[in-house]
Amino acid sequence: MTEPRWLNADERRAWLALLSINTLLPAALDTQLQAAGKLSLFDYNVLAMLSEADGRFLPMSELAARTSASLSRLSHVVTKLQRRGWVEREAHPGDARVTVAHLTESGMDTIVSLAPGHVDAVRALMLDAMTDDDVADLARIAEKIVARLDDDHWILRER
Amino acid sequence: MTEPRWLNADERRAWLALLSINTLLPAALDTQLQAAGKLSLFDYNVLAMLSEADGRFLPMSELAARTSASLSRLSHVVTKLQRRGWVEREAHPGDARVTVAHLTESGMDTIVSLAPGHVDAVRALMLDAMTDDDVADLARIAEKIVARLDDDHWILRER
DNA sequence: TTCATTTACTTGAAGCTTCAACTAAAACAA
DNA sequence: TTGTTTTAGTTGAAGCTTCAAGTAAATGAA
């Protein structure tokens, strides 16, 4: 039973700051999106990922990977988005196990109308606090952490 | 209605990576803590903040600030921790509006026994992915973002 | 002193997320 | 071919978080 290595000053600062960002940033973006369109940051991201996909559709598994979510969470949320008319579920032609989530016209209109306000909020809440070098450093460091958490995470694919 | 400024490559990388960390890191730490002691990362943090406070107690408002949580969320969680015998609620001598949350001996034992495993997990999941310079850069940049989100956040106090 | 406002906190309900269990199809193995 | 395992997804229940509404004490204003 050896004494564990505790965090040094920078490690503690980095960890506590990341933990705080983690709670405060999504909460602030949720508030903005809730006011603008009665949806959560996660809902927004589901729509955004679909809007950027070829043909505006993706298998549930792939959509789950791109939103870092469990299939269960995604399934519940897609059901909700479907009720709002923003997404539809379709069968996959080649593999009957697969469900394809498809962004509707209405869903596309929604994300197009929400995107500017959301991007402004992301700038106001984090990017505007940083210099260009900070942004580049953060991108590099944050991607290292993502690689550690999941070494074939989709955001690392194009690297 | 002017076109909003979209994100450039680094901004997009930084934002998407942070968003992914945001989902994956707490989930991984939750899993570790759930296995080690059937509690969440948030529960752990409540206990940790109390354990580091003078006298091992804090007013609910102060504890909420130190865990970046709403008072409502904290109140529900303290009720739960109280049922497990880890925390007690006490009256504040000078101000009857204030509730003081006090870590019990049992709560202290719990956090002492969980801390090593938790710190190991934080290292394994993020710190080990970074150089010392990365850690210092992340601490600096992340604190800038925290300051933007809440300019008198407690982690900035000693700065 | 009295009344209005603010601060500190709690509560119950609604909505969201996780978890475990389940279904069904595809891939693999004998 | 038949049985086994893996992959993909759904579901309901339990637990967690947020939201709106409420209580009660302290502060401030007239």
Side-chain angles (χ1 to χ4, degrees):
Chain A
M1 199 194 92
T2 61
E3 188 66 5
R5 245 168 78 234
W6 298 110
L7 303 184
N8 67 32
D10 279 348
E11 287 171 340
R12 185 177 154 87
R13 286 175 57 215
W15 166 235
L16 289 179
L18 198 57
L19 195 60
S20 299
I21 289 172
N22 218 294
T23 317
L24 298 174
L25 188 52
L29 292 170
D30 270 334
T31 299
Q32 188 269 321
L33 286 166
Q34 206 60 242
K38 305 224 178 289
L39 38 51
S40 70
L41 178 57
F42 184 74
D43 296 340
Y44 179 91
N45 262 292
V46 169
L47 300 181
M49 290 301 154
L50 285 176
S51 76
E52 289 169 11
D54 278 7
R56 295 181 192 161
F57 60 81
L58 287 171
M60 293 293 279
S61 300
E62 181 58 27
L63 187 52
R66 295 197 191 182
T67 52
S68 303
S70 69
L71 219 31
S72 171
R73 178 183 186 183
L74 181 64
S75 183
H76 284 295
V77 168
V78 164
T79 299
K80 184 187 68 175
L81 297 178
Q82 214 171 356
R83 280 199 293 264
R84 299 183 68 165
W86 292 340
V87 171
E88 279 168 0
R89 276 189 236 239
E90 289 159 16
H92 188 281
D95 186 337
R97 290 171 304 181
V98 174
T99 305
V100 171
H102 191 158
L103 191 66
T104 63
E105 273 308 310
S106 166
M108 189 67 194
D109 293 348
T110 299
I111 191 112
V112 165
S113 80
L114 291 171
H118 175 66
V119 172
D120 285 351
V122 171
R123 284 197 181 286
L125 294 167
M126 69 169 270
L127 297 171
D128 287 351
M130 296 183 264
T131 66
D132 289 352
D133 283 349
D134 288 343
V135 173
D137 286 342
L138 179 60
R140 183 177 50 74
I141 297 168
E143 284 180 352
K144 280 189 181 182
I145 299 174
V146 171
R148 173 59 69 127
L149 290 164
D150 173 8
D151 73 356
D152 44 52
H153 193 278
W154 73 279
I155 68 171
L156 308 170
R157 280 184 209 156
E158 54 232 55
R159 223 181 24 176
Chain B
M1 201 193 90
T2 60
E3 188 66 5
R5 244 168 77 236
W6 298 111
L7 303 185
N8 67 32
D10 280 347
E11 288 170 340
R12 186 178 153 86
R13 286 175 57 216
W15 166 234
L16 289 178
L18 199 58
L19 195 60
S20 299
I21 288 171
N22 218 293
T23 317
L24 298 175
L25 188 51
L29 292 169
D30 270 334
T31 300
Q32 189 269 321
L33 287 167
Q34 206 60 242
K38 305 225 178 289
L39 38 52
S40 70
L41 177 58
F42 183 75
D43 297 339
Y44 179 91
N45 261 292
V46 169
L47 300 180
M49 291 301 153
L50 285 176
S51 76
E52 289 169 11
D54 277 7
R56 295 181 192 160
F57 60 81
L58 287 172
M60 293 293 279
S61 299
E62 182 57 27
L63 186 52
R66 296 196 190 182
T67 52
S68 303
S70 69
L71 218 32
S72 171
R73 179 183 186 182
L74 181 64
S75 184
H76 284 294
V77 169
V78 165
T79 300
K80 185 186 66 175
L81 297 178
Q82 214 171 355
R83 280 199 294 263
R84 298 184 69 165
W86 293 340
V87 171
E88 278 169 0
R89 275 188 238 240
E90 289 160 13
H92 187 280
D95 186 337
R97 292 170 304 180
V98 174
T99 304
V100 171
H102 191 160
L103 191 67
T104 63
E105 275 308 311
S106 164
M108 190 67 194
D109 293 347
T110 299
I111 191 113
V112 165
S113 79
L114 290 171
H118 175 67
V119 171
D120 285 351
V122 171
R123 284 198 182 286
L125 293 167
M126 68 169 272
L127 296 171
D128 287 351
M130 296 183 265
T131 66
D132 289 351
D133 283 349
D134 287 343
V135 173
D137 285 342
L138 179 59
R140 183 178 49 77
I141 297 168
E143 284 180 352
K144 280 189 181 182
I145 299 175
V146 171
R148 171 60 69 125
L149 290 165
D150 174 7
D151 73 356
D152 45 53
H153 194 277
W154 73 277
I155 67 172
L156 308 171
R157 278 183 208 156
E158 53 232 58
R159 221 179 27 175

